[in-house]
Amino acid sequence: MIVCGYSFGDQHINEALVESLKANPSAVCYALQFDKLEAYSEGAALAQSVPNLLFLARDGAVVRRRAGKWMTRPGTDQNAIRSGFFVSEEADDEVAGPCELLLGDFAKFAPFLDDFISSSDI
């Protein structure tokens, strides 16, 4: 399941989501967030307790209960980075640098889905 635009501020929805994920460990929920990780303390805390809730914010993520920041790898081909990512000015071919995930923005997510769907061999 992909959730985009939900801030995890409603306890009733959070409880239903968490219980469903715990009951079915092979299910996965990707929560795409518009803002930085610090703006979503409740959602990030839930993701730290539920391994199949992947909480993906602009500057970092909680994946499999571990929080971290987005970084590019040295030598990353900047042309290979899809429209969902923005690499900061600090990154270059020699040094890893911070980057941002922009898929939590509907204006970036919709074209990403369109590109993904149109490029598949269905």
Side-chain angles (χ1 to χ4, degrees), residues 28-81:
V28 178
C29 177
Y30 296 89
L32 303 175
Q33 304 302 319
F34 179 80
D35 209 346
K36 293 184 176 182
L37 195 57
E38 65 189 24
Y40 306 102
S41 57
E42 286 186 49
L46 285 176
Q48 288 177 328
S49 67
V50 181
N52 48 347
L53 172 59
L54 285 71
F55 201 82
L56 312 173
R58 180 177 291 267
D59 65 335
V62 178
V63 176
R64 305 213 29 90
R65 297 189 194 149
R66 297 180 64 186
K69 298 290 184 182
W70 296 116
M71 299 291 283
T72 59
R73 293 183 180 185
T76 300
D77 177 5
Q78 301 304 313
N79 295 323
I81 296 176

Short mmCIF file of all heavy atoms in Angstrom, two decimals, residues 28-81:
data_model
loop_
_atom_site.label_atom_id
_atom_site.label_comp_id
_atom_site.label_asym_id
_atom_site.label_seq_id
_atom_site.Cartn_x
_atom_site.Cartn_y
_atom_site.Cartn_z
N VAL A 28 3.20 -4.51 3.16
CA VAL A 28 4.09 -3.36 3.34
C VAL A 28 3.32 -2.08 3.05
O VAL A 28 2.54 -2.02 2.10
CB VAL A 28 5.31 -3.44 2.39
CG1 VAL A 28 6.21 -2.23 2.56
CG2 VAL A 28 6.10 -4.71 2.63
N CYS A 29 3.54 -1.08 3.87
CA CYS A 29 2.94 0.24 3.65
C CYS A 29 4.08 1.24 3.46
O CYS A 29 4.96 1.36 4.32
CB CYS A 29 2.08 0.65 4.83
SG CYS A 29 1.38 2.30 4.65
N TYR A 30 4.07 1.94 2.34
CA TYR A 30 5.01 3.02 2.06
C TYR A 30 4.30 4.33 2.33
O TYR A 30 3.33 4.65 1.65
CB TYR A 30 5.47 2.99 0.60
CG TYR A 30 6.23 1.75 0.22
CD1 TYR A 30 5.57 0.62 -0.23
CD2 TYR A 30 7.61 1.71 0.32
CE1 TYR A 30 6.27 -0.53 -0.58
CE2 TYR A 30 8.31 0.57 -0.02
CZ TYR A 30 7.64 -0.54 -0.47
OH TYR A 30 8.33 -1.67 -0.80
N ALA A 31 4.75 5.08 3.31
CA ALA A 31 4.14 6.36 3.66
C ALA A 31 5.02 7.48 3.12
O ALA A 31 6.10 7.75 3.65
CB ALA A 31 3.98 6.48 5.17
N LEU A 32 4.58 8.12 2.04
CA LEU A 32 5.33 9.20 1.41
C LEU A 32 4.92 10.53 2.05
O LEU A 32 3.74 10.89 2.03
CB LEU A 32 5.05 9.24 -0.09
CG LEU A 32 5.34 7.95 -0.86
CD1 LEU A 32 4.90 8.09 -2.31
CD2 LEU A 32 6.81 7.60 -0.77
N GLN A 33 5.89 11.24 2.59
CA GLN A 33 5.61 12.48 3.32
C GLN A 33 6.18 13.69 2.58
O GLN A 33 7.27 13.63 2.01
CB GLN A 33 6.20 12.41 4.72
CG GLN A 33 5.71 11.23 5.52
CD GLN A 33 4.21 11.21 5.67
OE1 GLN A 33 3.57 12.23 5.87
NE2 GLN A 33 3.62 10.03 5.53
N PHE A 34 5.46 14.81 2.63
CA PHE A 34 5.85 16.02 1.94
C PHE A 34 6.99 16.75 2.64
O PHE A 34 7.91 17.25 2.00
CB PHE A 34 4.64 16.97 1.85
CG PHE A 34 4.95 18.27 1.17
CD1 PHE A 34 5.00 18.34 -0.21
CD2 PHE A 34 5.21 19.41 1.92
CE1 PHE A 34 5.30 19.55 -0.84
CE2 PHE A 34 5.49 20.61 1.29
CZ PHE A 34 5.55 20.67 -0.09
N ASP A 35 6.95 16.80 3.96
CA ASP A 35 7.88 17.62 4.73
C ASP A 35 9.05 16.78 5.26
O ASP A 35 9.17 15.60 4.96
CB ASP A 35 7.12 18.27 5.90
CG ASP A 35 7.70 19.60 6.32
OD1 ASP A 35 8.82 19.94 5.92
OD2 ASP A 35 7.01 20.32 7.06
N LYS A 36 9.86 17.41 6.09
CA LYS A 36 11.00 16.73 6.70
C LYS A 36 10.52 15.75 7.78
O LYS A 36 9.44 15.90 8.33
CB LYS A 36 11.96 17.75 7.30
CG LYS A 36 12.62 18.60 6.24
CD LYS A 36 13.63 19.54 6.83
CE LYS A 36 14.32 20.29 5.70
NZ LYS A 36 15.35 21.19 6.20
N LEU A 37 11.35 14.78 8.09
CA LEU A 37 11.02 13.71 9.03
C LEU A 37 10.60 14.26 10.40
O LEU A 37 9.67 13.75 11.01
CB LEU A 37 12.22 12.78 9.17
CG LEU A 37 12.02 11.43 9.81
CD1 LEU A 37 10.94 10.63 9.10
CD2 LEU A 37 13.32 10.65 9.83
N GLU A 38 11.25 15.30 10.86
CA GLU A 38 10.95 15.85 12.18
C GLU A 38 9.52 16.39 12.30
O GLU A 38 8.99 16.52 13.40
CB GLU A 38 11.94 16.95 12.54
CG GLU A 38 11.85 18.17 11.65
CD GLU A 38 12.98 19.17 11.85
OE1 GLU A 38 14.06 18.77 12.33
OE2 GLU A 38 12.77 20.34 11.53
N ALA A 39 8.87 16.67 11.19
CA ALA A 39 7.49 17.19 11.20
C ALA A 39 6.46 16.09 11.46
O ALA A 39 5.29 16.40 11.68
CB ALA A 39 7.18 17.88 9.88
N TYR A 40 6.89 14.84 11.45
CA TYR A 40 5.96 13.70 11.58
C TYR A 40 6.38 12.79 12.72
O TYR A 40 6.63 11.60 12.51
CB TYR A 40 5.91 12.92 10.27
CG TYR A 40 5.60 13.77 9.07
CD1 TYR A 40 6.60 14.16 8.21
CD2 TYR A 40 4.29 14.16 8.81
CE1 TYR A 40 6.32 14.94 7.10
CE2 TYR A 40 4.00 14.94 7.70
CZ TYR A 40 5.02 15.33 6.85
OH TYR A 40 4.74 16.10 5.76
N SER A 41 6.44 13.31 13.92
CA SER A 41 6.94 12.51 15.05
C SER A 41 6.08 11.28 15.32
O SER A 41 6.61 10.21 15.61
CB SER A 41 7.06 13.38 16.31
OG SER A 41 5.81 13.96 16.62
N GLU A 42 4.76 11.40 15.21
CA GLU A 42 3.89 10.24 15.48
C GLU A 42 4.10 9.15 14.43
O GLU A 42 4.21 7.97 14.77
CB GLU A 42 2.42 10.66 15.51
CG GLU A 42 2.04 11.41 16.76
CD GLU A 42 0.55 11.68 16.83
OE1 GLU A 42 -0.24 10.73 16.64
OE2 GLU A 42 0.19 12.84 17.08
N GLY A 43 4.12 9.52 13.17
CA GLY A 43 4.31 8.54 12.10
C GLY A 43 5.68 7.89 12.16
O GLY A 43 5.81 6.67 11.99
N ALA A 44 6.70 8.68 12.43
CA ALA A 44 8.05 8.14 12.53
C ALA A 44 8.16 7.18 13.72
O ALA A 44 8.80 6.13 13.62
CB ALA A 44 9.07 9.27 12.66
N ALA A 45 7.50 7.51 14.82
CA ALA A 45 7.52 6.62 15.99
C ALA A 45 6.81 5.30 15.68
O ALA A 45 7.28 4.23 16.08
CB ALA A 45 6.85 7.31 17.19
N LEU A 46 5.70 5.36 14.96
CA LEU A 46 5.01 4.13 14.56
C LEU A 46 5.91 3.27 13.68
O LEU A 46 6.00 2.05 13.86
CB LEU A 46 3.72 4.44 13.80
CG LEU A 46 2.54 4.92 14.62
CD1 LEU A 46 1.38 5.29 13.69
CD2 LEU A 46 2.10 3.85 15.60
N ALA A 47 6.60 3.90 12.74
CA ALA A 47 7.47 3.15 11.84
C ALA A 47 8.65 2.52 12.58
O ALA A 47 9.17 1.49 12.15
CB ALA A 47 7.97 4.07 10.72
N GLN A 48 9.04 3.12 13.70
CA GLN A 48 10.12 2.53 14.48
C GLN A 48 9.66 1.32 15.29
O GLN A 48 10.47 0.56 15.79
CB GLN A 48 10.75 3.58 15.39
CG GLN A 48 11.56 4.58 14.59
CD GLN A 48 12.16 5.69 15.42
OE1 GLN A 48 11.58 6.12 16.41
NE2 GLN A 48 13.32 6.16 14.99
N SER A 49 8.35 1.12 15.37
CA SER A 49 7.83 -0.04 16.09
C SER A 49 7.23 -1.09 15.17
O SER A 49 6.96 -2.20 15.60
CB SER A 49 6.79 0.40 17.12
OG SER A 49 5.64 0.91 16.48
N VAL A 50 7.01 -0.76 13.90
CA VAL A 50 6.39 -1.68 12.95
C VAL A 50 7.32 -1.81 11.73
O VAL A 50 7.45 -0.86 10.95
CB VAL A 50 4.99 -1.17 12.50
CG1 VAL A 50 4.35 -2.13 11.54
CG2 VAL A 50 4.11 -0.92 13.70
N PRO A 51 7.98 -2.95 11.56
CA PRO A 51 8.99 -3.06 10.50
C PRO A 51 8.46 -2.97 9.07
O PRO A 51 9.21 -2.63 8.16
CB PRO A 51 9.64 -4.43 10.75
CG PRO A 51 8.63 -5.19 11.53
CD PRO A 51 7.85 -4.18 12.33
N ASN A 52 7.19 -3.25 8.86
CA ASN A 52 6.66 -3.20 7.49
C ASN A 52 5.93 -1.89 7.18
O ASN A 52 5.21 -1.79 6.20
CB ASN A 52 5.79 -4.42 7.16
CG ASN A 52 4.76 -4.75 8.21
OD1 ASN A 52 4.79 -4.25 9.33
ND2 ASN A 52 3.83 -5.62 7.86
N LEU A 53 6.15 -0.87 8.01
CA LEU A 53 5.72 0.50 7.72
C LEU A 53 6.97 1.29 7.38
O LEU A 53 7.82 1.54 8.23
CB LEU A 53 5.00 1.12 8.93
CG LEU A 53 4.68 2.62 8.81
CD1 LEU A 53 3.78 2.91 7.60
CD2 LEU A 53 4.01 3.12 10.09
N LEU A 54 7.12 1.64 6.11
CA LEU A 54 8.27 2.39 5.65
C LEU A 54 7.86 3.85 5.54
O LEU A 54 6.99 4.20 4.74
CB LEU A 54 8.77 1.88 4.30
CG LEU A 54 9.53 0.56 4.34
CD1 LEU A 54 8.62 -0.59 4.64
CD2 LEU A 54 10.25 0.35 3.05
N PHE A 55 8.45 4.69 6.36
CA PHE A 55 8.08 6.09 6.48
C PHE A 55 9.10 6.94 5.74
O PHE A 55 10.24 7.07 6.19
CB PHE A 55 8.02 6.46 7.97
CG PHE A 55 7.21 7.66 8.26
CD1 PHE A 55 5.83 7.58 8.37
CD2 PHE A 55 7.81 8.90 8.42
CE1 PHE A 55 5.07 8.71 8.63
CE2 PHE A 55 7.07 10.02 8.69
CZ PHE A 55 5.70 9.92 8.79
N LEU A 56 8.73 7.48 4.58
CA LEU A 56 9.67 8.14 3.68
C LEU A 56 9.38 9.64 3.62
O LEU A 56 8.43 10.07 2.96
CB LEU A 56 9.57 7.52 2.29
CG LEU A 56 9.61 5.98 2.25
CD1 LEU A 56 9.33 5.47 0.86
CD2 LEU A 56 10.93 5.47 2.78
N ALA A 57 10.19 10.44 4.29
CA ALA A 57 10.02 11.89 4.33
C ALA A 57 11.03 12.55 3.38
O ALA A 57 11.86 11.88 2.77
CB ALA A 57 10.21 12.40 5.75
N ARG A 58 10.93 13.86 3.28
CA ARG A 58 11.77 14.62 2.35
C ARG A 58 13.26 14.45 2.63
O ARG A 58 14.05 14.22 1.73
CB ARG A 58 11.40 16.10 2.43
CG ARG A 58 12.20 17.00 1.52
CD ARG A 58 11.73 18.43 1.59
NE ARG A 58 10.42 18.61 1.01
CZ ARG A 58 10.19 18.94 -0.26
NH1 ARG A 58 11.20 19.15 -1.07
NH2 ARG A 58 8.97 19.07 -0.71
N ASP A 59 13.67 14.53 3.88
CA ASP A 59 15.10 14.52 4.19
C ASP A 59 15.60 13.19 4.76
O ASP A 59 16.80 13.00 4.91
CB ASP A 59 15.43 15.64 5.17
CG ASP A 59 14.76 15.46 6.53
OD1 ASP A 59 13.72 14.78 6.60
OD2 ASP A 59 15.29 15.99 7.52
N GLY A 60 14.70 12.29 5.08
CA GLY A 60 15.12 11.03 5.67
C GLY A 60 13.97 10.04 5.74
O GLY A 60 12.88 10.30 5.23
N ALA A 61 14.23 8.91 6.37
CA ALA A 61 13.22 7.85 6.39
C ALA A 61 13.40 6.98 7.63
O ALA A 61 14.43 7.00 8.28
CB ALA A 61 13.36 6.99 5.15
N VAL A 62 12.34 6.22 7.91
CA VAL A 62 12.42 5.13 8.88
C VAL A 62 12.07 3.88 8.09
O VAL A 62 10.96 3.74 7.59
CB VAL A 62 11.44 5.32 10.06
CG1 VAL A 62 11.54 4.14 11.02
CG2 VAL A 62 11.70 6.64 10.78
N VAL A 63 13.06 3.01 7.94
CA VAL A 63 12.90 1.78 7.16
C VAL A 63 13.33 0.61 8.04
O VAL A 63 14.44 0.61 8.58
CB VAL A 63 13.75 1.83 5.87
CG1 VAL A 63 13.66 0.51 5.12
CG2 VAL A 63 13.32 2.99 4.99
N ARG A 64 12.43 -0.35 8.19
CA ARG A 64 12.68 -1.52 9.03
C ARG A 64 13.13 -1.11 10.43
O ARG A 64 14.11 -1.60 10.96
CB ARG A 64 13.64 -2.48 8.38
CG ARG A 64 13.17 -2.88 7.01
CD ARG A 64 13.44 -4.24 6.47
NE ARG A 64 13.60 -5.39 7.28
CZ ARG A 64 12.61 -6.20 7.64
NH1 ARG A 64 11.38 -5.95 7.29
NH2 ARG A 64 12.86 -7.27 8.33
N ARG A 65 12.41 -0.12 10.97
CA ARG A 65 12.59 0.41 12.33
C ARG A 65 13.82 1.28 12.52
O ARG A 65 14.12 1.70 13.62
CB ARG A 65 12.63 -0.73 13.36
CG ARG A 65 11.37 -1.51 13.45
CD ARG A 65 11.46 -2.45 14.64
NE ARG A 65 10.41 -3.44 14.55
CZ ARG A 65 10.51 -4.66 15.01
NH1 ARG A 65 11.61 -5.06 15.59
NH2 ARG A 65 9.51 -5.49 14.90
N ARG A 66 14.57 1.56 11.47
CA ARG A 66 15.78 2.36 11.60
C ARG A 66 15.63 3.69 10.88
O ARG A 66 15.24 3.73 9.72
CB ARG A 66 16.98 1.60 11.03
CG ARG A 66 17.25 0.31 11.81
CD ARG A 66 18.40 -0.44 11.28
NE ARG A 66 19.61 0.35 11.44
CZ ARG A 66 20.77 -0.01 10.97
NH1 ARG A 66 20.90 -1.10 10.29
NH2 ARG A 66 21.83 0.75 11.16
N ALA A 67 15.96 4.77 11.56
CA ALA A 67 15.87 6.11 10.98
C ALA A 67 17.21 6.49 10.36
O ALA A 67 18.27 6.09 10.84
CB ALA A 67 15.50 7.12 12.06
N GLY A 68 17.13 7.23 9.27
CA GLY A 68 18.35 7.71 8.61
C GLY A 68 18.03 8.84 7.65
O GLY A 68 16.87 9.14 7.39
N LYS A 69 19.07 9.47 7.14
CA LYS A 69 18.95 10.58 6.20
C LYS A 69 19.24 10.08 4.79
O LYS A 69 20.01 9.14 4.59
CB LYS A 69 19.93 11.70 6.55
CG LYS A 69 19.69 12.31 7.91
CD LYS A 69 18.42 13.11 7.91
CE LYS A 69 18.20 13.83 9.23
NZ LYS A 69 16.98 14.57 9.27
N TRP A 70 18.62 10.72 3.79
CA TRP A 70 18.89 10.38 2.40
C TRP A 70 20.27 10.92 2.01
O TRP A 70 20.61 12.06 2.31
CB TRP A 70 17.86 11.02 1.47
CG TRP A 70 16.47 10.54 1.66
CD1 TRP A 70 15.40 11.28 2.07
CD2 TRP A 70 15.97 9.22 1.43
NE1 TRP A 70 14.27 10.51 2.13
CE2 TRP A 70 14.59 9.23 1.73
CE3 TRP A 70 16.54 8.02 1.01
CZ2 TRP A 70 13.80 8.11 1.63
CZ3 TRP A 70 15.74 6.90 0.91
CH2 TRP A 70 14.39 6.95 1.20
N MET A 71 21.07 10.09 1.35
CA MET A 71 22.40 10.49 0.88
C MET A 71 22.64 9.88 -0.49
O MET A 71 22.18 8.77 -0.77
CB MET A 71 23.49 9.98 1.83
CG MET A 71 23.39 10.51 3.25
SD MET A 71 23.76 12.25 3.37
CE MET A 71 25.53 12.23 3.27
N THR A 72 23.37 10.59 -1.33
CA THR A 72 23.79 10.00 -2.60
C THR A 72 25.08 9.25 -2.36
O THR A 72 25.79 9.50 -1.38
CB THR A 72 24.04 11.08 -3.68
OG1 THR A 72 25.05 11.98 -3.21
CG2 THR A 72 22.78 11.83 -4.00
N ARG A 73 25.38 8.35 -3.26
CA ARG A 73 26.64 7.62 -3.17
C ARG A 73 27.66 8.28 -4.09
O ARG A 73 27.29 8.84 -5.12
CB ARG A 73 26.45 6.18 -3.63
CG ARG A 73 25.60 5.40 -2.70
CD ARG A 73 25.49 3.98 -3.16
NE ARG A 73 24.64 3.26 -2.23
CZ ARG A 73 24.43 1.97 -2.30
NH1 ARG A 73 24.96 1.26 -3.26
NH2 ARG A 73 23.65 1.39 -1.42
N PRO A 74 28.94 8.20 -3.74
CA PRO A 74 29.95 8.74 -4.66
C PRO A 74 29.83 8.06 -6.02
O PRO A 74 29.58 6.86 -6.11
CB PRO A 74 31.27 8.38 -3.98
CG PRO A 74 30.93 8.20 -2.54
CD PRO A 74 29.52 7.67 -2.52
N GLY A 75 29.96 8.84 -7.07
CA GLY A 75 29.89 8.29 -8.42
C GLY A 75 28.49 8.10 -8.95
O GLY A 75 28.31 7.53 -10.02
N THR A 76 27.47 8.59 -8.24
CA THR A 76 26.10 8.45 -8.71
C THR A 76 25.92 9.19 -10.02
O THR A 76 26.29 10.35 -10.13
CB THR A 76 25.10 9.00 -7.67
OG1 THR A 76 25.26 8.27 -6.45
CG2 THR A 76 23.68 8.88 -8.15
N ASP A 77 25.37 8.53 -11.01
CA ASP A 77 25.06 9.17 -12.28
C ASP A 77 23.85 10.07 -12.08
O ASP A 77 22.74 9.59 -11.89
CB ASP A 77 24.78 8.11 -13.35
CG ASP A 77 24.38 8.69 -14.69
OD1 ASP A 77 24.41 9.94 -14.84
OD2 ASP A 77 24.05 7.92 -15.59
N GLN A 78 24.05 11.37 -12.10
CA GLN A 78 22.98 12.30 -11.82
C GLN A 78 21.84 12.17 -12.83
O GLN A 78 20.69 12.46 -12.51
CB GLN A 78 23.50 13.73 -11.79
CG GLN A 78 24.60 13.96 -10.76
CD GLN A 78 24.20 13.58 -9.35
OE1 GLN A 78 23.13 13.95 -8.91
NE2 GLN A 78 25.03 12.83 -8.65
N ASN A 79 22.12 11.74 -14.06
CA ASN A 79 21.07 11.57 -15.05
C ASN A 79 20.19 10.35 -14.76
O ASN A 79 19.09 10.24 -15.28
CB ASN A 79 21.68 11.42 -16.45
CG ASN A 79 22.38 12.68 -16.87
OD1 ASN A 79 21.93 13.78 -16.58
ND2 ASN A 79 23.51 12.53 -17.54
N ALA A 80 20.68 9.44 -13.93
CA ALA A 80 19.91 8.24 -13.61
C ALA A 80 18.92 8.48 -12.48
O ALA A 80 18.07 7.65 -12.22
CB ALA A 80 20.86 7.11 -13.22
N ILE A 81 19.03 9.62 -11.82
CA ILE A 81 18.12 9.91 -10.72
C ILE A 81 16.80 10.38 -11.28
O ILE A 81 16.73 11.31 -12.05
CB ILE A 81 18.72 10.96 -9.76
CG1 ILE A 81 19.99 10.38 -9.14
CG2 ILE A 81 17.72 11.36 -8.69
CD1 ILE A 81 20.73 11.33 -8.27
#
